[in-house]
Amino acid sequence: MPVINRVADMQDQVAEWRRHLHENPELLYDVHNTSAFVADKLKSFGCDVVETGIGRTGVVAIIKGSQGEGPVLGFRADMDALPILETSGKPWASKTPGKAHSCGHDGHTAMLLGAAQYLAETRNFKGSIAVIFQPAEEGGAGALAMINDGMLDKFGISQVFGMHNEPHLPVGNFAIRKGSVMAAADTFEITINGRGSHAAQPHMSIDPVLAASHVVVALQSIVSRETDPLKSLVVTVASIHGGQASNVIPAFVKLAGTVRTLLPETRDFAEKRLREVATATATAHGATAEVTYHRGYPVTFNHDDETDFAVEIASKVAGPKAVNSGMAPHMGAEDFSYMLEKRPGAFIFIGNGDTAGLHNAAYDFNDEAIPFGVSYWVTLAETALAA
Ligand SMILES: [Zn+2]
Ligand SMILES: [Zn+2]
């Protein structure tokens, strides 16, 4: 079964919603107009329950099947945009300078709305589908906010599925992998405290610039000498600030950066060693190091059975040759990871074709992907919950 006929007929409508959302981007939890638009549409489709204000501005709708009792599956889309000045030049480009749907969450939301409309019309399944529209994927952990509001338990959601568009993957293609598919993204700040002096009297100082330089170099050994090369780890010092003048040794230097990992044990190890190496290296130079380590989104971990099932569904929609079940993981992060920590599920990538990359000012979601995305959701519901 390729793209469903009724879904193909819906493409213009879904693209119109998508372009409306694209023109009107909102950031983080401040997605009031977007969530109102979503809730209005879900009510107009006749969903059995439409609840707003979950995780501040998230929306969940329940669509009951007509084929009897069964489990509740959660399908999730994200609604927020990015603080980017759009340069796509499209007629539906952002009307708000400095905000843009540069990650395609407009497309994710529109496709899940299309699926909700189809499923509410046909209801050819048992159990229920929960369509989940979350705020604040881009750094605000909106998924976690919805979980903390009790969403998964309240609606009895037993499995969760998510989807993200992928530039450079051809339209009509899907990609996924079992296990770690996206990285955990942590940040750190290190303040190296020394003692300032005249730059011509270094013996009177404890030079934090030299100590910080050694810390930057020493941190690289965590990846290169201490970590199994087959277990991915990124340690990047992305910022270094200290001193103002060429003739003054400053009193302190600040470093900041990110740690990306694909396994929980690598993450724990990296945090522990980052603290130890920074502190000991500073000490070796007579300075001290204050380390602040902030854990961001966890690893996005696809469960085996649900990933196999997602591959089966994508293959039905796109044909087996168009589904890569062993994609390389991304070192970017995704807050659907929080849902996958609570429930089994799978996160799949859908081809966006030859477009600008995600978070690029020229990016636009590709409306040609809509029938494939909507068909994936619909086929997943009707297959998983077949009577
Ligand atoms: Zn993004
Ligand atoms: Zn995204």
Side-chain angles (χ1 to χ4, degrees):
M1 177 172 61
V3 164
I4 298 162
N5 284 338
R6 168 77 182 104
V7 169
D9 293 343
M10 291 167 69
Q11 180 172 359
D12 288 350
Q13 176 70 77
V14 175
E16 196 182 307
W17 297 337
R18 204 283 294 179
R19 292 173 187 189
H20 168 80
L21 295 170
H22 194 92
E23 278 186 315
N24 299 285
E26 295 177 295
L27 303 183
L28 289 168
Y29 288 95
D30 189 21
V31 290
H32 297 280
N33 294 328
T34 305
S35 59
F37 177 87
V38 165
D40 281 352
K41 288 280 173 272
L42 293 169
K43 285 174 194 161
S44 76
F45 304 154
C47 294
D48 300 277
V49 177
V50 179
E51 193 165 320
T52 59
I54 304 175
R56 289 158 70 177
T57 40
V59 182
V60 175
I62 301 296
I63 305 161
K64 289 183 185 153
S66 63
Q67 309 290 310
E69 293 298 306
V72 184
L73 302 192
F75 294 173
R76 170 275 201 173
D78 36 16
M79 298 188 287
D80 57 321
L82 283 157
I84 288 176
L85 183 63
E86 182 170 355
T87 62
S88 74
K90 297 286 173 65
W92 51 86
S94 170
K95 293 195 287 198
T96 309
K99 296 182 187 176
H101 267 294
S102 311
C103 205
H105 299 182
D106 50 340
H108 305 163
T109 295
M111 291 192 294
L112 190 55
L113 280 176
Q117 181 174 24
Y118 176 98
L119 292 170
E121 275 175 22
T122 53
R123 298 184 187 258
N124 188 25
F125 52 93
K126 64 183 181 182
S128 298
I129 297 296
V131 284
I132 302 163
F133 297 86
Q134 74 155 81
E137 193 289 320
E138 298 287 1
L144 184 61
M146 293 186 80
I147 293 167
N148 288 342
D149 258 0
M151 169 191 74
L152 295 172
D153 292 331
K154 177 173 183 178
F155 297 106
I157 295 167
S158 58
Q159 287 175 304
V160 289
F161 292 89
M163 182 193 294
H164 205 293
N165 78 94
E166 171 99 330
H168 311 308
L169 183 67
V171 168
N173 281 231
F174 290 89
I176 193 169
R177 67 179 283 117
K178 287 182 184 175
S180 304
V181 68
M182 293 186 78
D186 301 340
T187 55
F188 63 84
E189 288 177 14
I190 303 170
T191 303
I192 308 291
N193 291 303
R195 183 169 67 230
S197 79
H198 196 297
Q201 295 176 312
H203 60 291
M204 304 296 285
S205 76
I206 295 171
D207 183 357
V209 176
L210 181 64
S213 303
H214 279 279
V215 168
V216 172
V217 173
L219 290 178
Q220 299 310 308
S221 68
I222 299 173
V223 175
S224 67
R225 300 291 84 182
E226 299 186 35
T227 304
D228 182 339
L230 298 179
K231 292 182 178 169
S232 300
L233 170 62
V234 175
V235 177
T236 292
V237 178
S239 153
I240 175 163
H241 289 284
Q244 303 285 342
S246 60
N247 57 357
V248 179
I249 292 173
F252 64 89
V253 169
K254 286 184 179 287
L255 308 174
T258 186
V259 172
R260 305 289 171 114
T261 48
L262 291 174
L263 292 169
E265 57 266 34
T266 315
R267 188 187 204 188
D268 291 344
F269 174 78
E271 177 179 354
K272 175 173 169 285
R273 289 299 290 151
L274 184 128
R275 290 180 185 281
E276 290 171 353
V277 169
T279 305
T281 305
T283 302
H285 292 82
T288 59
E290 287 168 49
V291 180
T292 308
Y293 193 97
H294 173 71
R295 291 201 169 208
Y297 294 170
V299 173
T300 303
F301 192 88
N302 275 337
H303 299 248
D304 284 357
D305 291 350
E306 286 73 15
T307 304
D308 283 339
F309 190 65
V311 169
E312 178 192 327
I313 298 305
S315 301
K316 277 189 186 180
V317 171
K321 286 188 184 142
V323 181
N324 177 1
S325 60
M327 66 175 276
H330 286 303
M331 294 311 281
E334 162 63 57
D335 80 345
F336 187 64
S337 51
Y338 290 110
M339 296 195 192
L340 288 172
E341 284 189 332
K342 299 287 183 192
R343 295 290 187 274
F347 190 67
I348 198 166
F349 293 88
I350 181 170
N352 203 53
D354 189 20
T355 63
L358 301 175
H359 295 208
N360 183 296
Y363 170 88
D364 187 32
F365 180 81
N366 191 336
D367 289 329
E368 299 301 315
I370 287 171
F372 296 97
V374 177
S375 293
Y376 173 82
W377 287 131
V378 165
T379 308
L380 182 50
E382 292 183 344
T383 308
L385 301 177

